Amino acid sequence: MIRVAAVGDVHVDADVVGRYRPALDQLATAADVLLLAGDLTRHGTTAEAECVAKEFGGLAVPVVAVLGNHDYHSDQVERITEILDEAGITVLEGSGTTLRCGDQRLGVAGVKGFGGGFSGRCATAFGEPELKAFVRHTELSAARLADALSTLDCDIRIALTHFSPVPDTLVGEPLEIYPFLGSSLLGEAIDAGGVTLAVHGHAHAGTERGTTPGGVPVRNVAHPVIGDAYRVFHLTAGAPVEPT
Amino acid sequence: MTGEHRAAALQRVLAEDPAIAELGIDATIGQTPAGDVTIVLSGQVETAERRSAIEQRVRDEAPDCHVVSDILVIEPTLPAEPEVLP
């Protein structure tokens, strides 16, 4: 069994430093790894990234993250990634990492993801260049997630995104903004990727639990949704499921 | 400006003001029986300071309105039981 803790949308700035630490200090007793599902900062500044590094760095378990839309706001993604990396936090973007947990190998593939909406109600790459660019960003992100999943050599695969791969976990959000909260292209990549669990954030007013059309459990771990400092999932490897 | 347009403008301010940067705050404009305009704020934030900043920003933006805040500060508490996935 592998124990996975996850939280997203922690929006750390100086005023948050120290608030998560009491729960994080007990993390090693409950989990083998911590996943951060994006929106780690408020405005995506390097000063805020230093606060994230202080709050979530140096833990007794590995920490794996993706960035969210807030983390892109100040156009400092490269430096933010470096700061987190220096604190021992692995930042994924179209990439994956494999961790040994006891006698099992956990693979995590991550992308920020993007919007576009869900099956039957999707934006399409048609018309104005701005709309085509929007949709193509999502298509590229989903393709990068699929690639990252396919290269993982592991017993259990997790897909980590900021945007949602399914509409199920958006219930509670206004229907009108679903296209800005996720895309079924991400769900399609997850269903083809031999994934045991998909974790995302972004939808503060959404719902915790959902499932892809292919039956993969999806969990929205945005802090406003889960309330607690993190959620813990216990995963057991069955027969290896390889990406299709 | 109608109440609907005013609520939309407030939500843009709360998202785009660098001191706030909150995208998850809902602003609903209503009216008391006495005819006073009321703005009800709801959503969740990480700290009490952020809640106060939002409330103050809305008061500054709409000094003629009565502001009611239902914004919750979420505490990062320890989780209860883990979820066991098959």
Side-chain angles (χ1 to χ4, degrees), chain A residues 21-33:
Chain A
R21 209 65 202 198
L24 293 174
D25 285 343
Q26 299 184 47
L27 186 58
T29 62
D32 302 306
V33 59

Side-chain angles (χ1 to χ4, degrees), chain B residues 1 5-6 8 11 13-15 17 20-22 32-33 35-36 42-44 47 52-53 62-63 67 73 76:
Chain B
M1 191 185 283
H5 290 317
R6 199 165 187 184
Q11 282 183 292
V13 165
L14 296 178
D17 182 336
I20 307 291
E22 293 286 351
T32 66
D36 299 323
S42 59
Q44 295 173 311
T47 64
S52 299
V67 177
V73 176

Side-chain angles (χ1 to χ4, degrees), chain A residues 19 43 209 219 223 228-229, chain B residues 18 44 46-47 50 77 83:
Chain A
R19 285 173 57 81
H43 309 88
R209 298 163 61 88
R219 297 295 180 263
H223 185 218
D228 298 323
Chain B
Q44 295 173 311
E46 289 287 330
T47 64
R50 294 186 191 184
T77 50
E83 179 182 357

Side-chain angles (χ1 to χ4, degrees), chain A residues 9-13 15-16 19-20 23 26 42-43 69-70 197 204 209 217 219 223-224 227-230 232-235, chain B residues 16-24 44-50 73-86:
Chain A
D9 304 78
V10 291
H11 294 289
V12 174
D13 199 346
D15 60 343
V16 171
R19 285 173 57 81
Y20 283 82
Q26 299 184 47
R42 295 177 83 187
H43 309 88
N69 54 308
H70 279 247
L197 171 67
H204 290 205
R209 298 163 61 88
R219 297 295 180 263
H223 185 218
D228 298 323
Y230 45 82
V232 178
F233 305 100
H234 287 183
L235 309 178
Chain B
E16 294 170 8
D17 182 336
I20 307 291
E22 293 286 351
L23 279 67
Q44 295 173 311
V45 294
E46 289 287 330
T47 64
E49 291 84 355
R50 294 186 191 184
V73 176
I74 32 174
E75 298 294 333
T77 50
L78 273 175
E81 293 301 307
E83 179 182 357
V84 180
L85 290 165

Side-chain angles (χ1 to χ4, degrees), chain A residues 45-112:
Chain A
T45 66
T46 54
E48 291 168 354
E50 297 282 3
C51 293
V52 175
K54 193 171 179 183
E55 192 71 355
F56 289 93
L59 298 183
V61 301
V63 182
V64 180
V66 293
L67 301 183
N69 54 308
H70 279 247
D71 307 318
Y72 276 71
H73 185 63
S74 298
D75 301 321
Q76 297 286 324
V77 167
E78 201 171 316
R79 184 66 194 124
I80 287 172
T81 301
E82 286 172 0
I83 291 167
L84 299 181
D85 187 54
E86 285 159 12
I89 299 170
T90 302
V91 180
L92 303 177
E93 178 49 48
S95 53
T97 187
T98 306
L99 306 164
R100 181 156 285 284
C101 304
D103 60 350
Q104 296 190 309
R105 295 163 303 156
L106 172 69
V108 184
V111 289
K112 173 180 64 66

Side-chain angles (χ1 to χ4, degrees), chain A residues 18-238:
Chain A
R19 285 173 57 81
Y20 283 82
R21 209 65 202 198
L24 293 174
D25 285 343
Q26 299 184 47
L27 186 58
T29 62
D32 302 306
V33 59
L34 173 65
L35 306 181
L36 299 176
D39 276 6
L40 312 180
T41 66
R42 295 177 83 187
H43 309 88
T45 66
T46 54
E48 291 168 354
E50 297 282 3
C51 293
V52 175
K54 193 171 179 183
E55 192 71 355
F56 289 93
L59 298 183
V61 301
V63 182
V64 180
V66 293
L67 301 183
N69 54 308
H70 279 247
D71 307 318
Y72 276 71
H73 185 63
S74 298
D75 301 321
Q76 297 286 324
V77 167
E78 201 171 316
R79 184 66 194 124
I80 287 172
T81 301
E82 286 172 0
I83 291 167
L84 299 181
D85 187 54
E86 285 159 12
I89 299 170
T90 302
V91 180
L92 303 177
E93 178 49 48
S95 53
T97 187
T98 306
L99 306 164
R100 181 156 285 284
C101 304
D103 60 350
Q104 296 190 309
R105 295 163 303 156
L106 172 69
V108 184
V111 289
K112 173 180 64 66
F114 202 46
F118 299 91
S119 305
R121 300 167 183 83
C122 298
T124 51
F126 183 88
E128 300 90 329
E130 292 83 358
L131 185 55
K132 285 186 280 200
F134 179 95
V135 173
R136 285 184 179 140
H137 182 64
T138 308
E139 290 172 343
L140 179 62
S141 190
R144 285 158 59 84
L145 177 61
D147 283 348
L149 285 166
S150 70
T151 58
L152 291 173
D153 180 17
C154 58
D155 302 303
I156 293 177
R157 271 183 203 82
I158 291 180
L160 176 63
T161 61
H162 179 60
F163 285 73
S164 177
V166 294
D168 307 27
T169 48
L170 305 183
V171 172
E173 296 279 4
L175 271 174
E176 294 85 346
I177 69 167
Y178 276 30
F180 303 102
L181 298 178
S183 166
S184 50
L185 295 177
L186 297 170
E188 201 175 320
I190 288 166
D191 274 339
V195 170
T196 298
L197 171 67
V199 174
H200 74 88
H202 192 46
H204 290 205
T207 302
E208 193 170 341
R209 298 163 61 88
T211 313
T212 66
V216 176
V218 179
R219 297 295 180 263
N220 176 1
V221 295
H223 185 218
V225 172
I226 63 174
D228 298 323
Y230 45 82
R231 272 286 180 270
V232 178
F233 305 100
H234 287 183
L235 309 178
T236 307

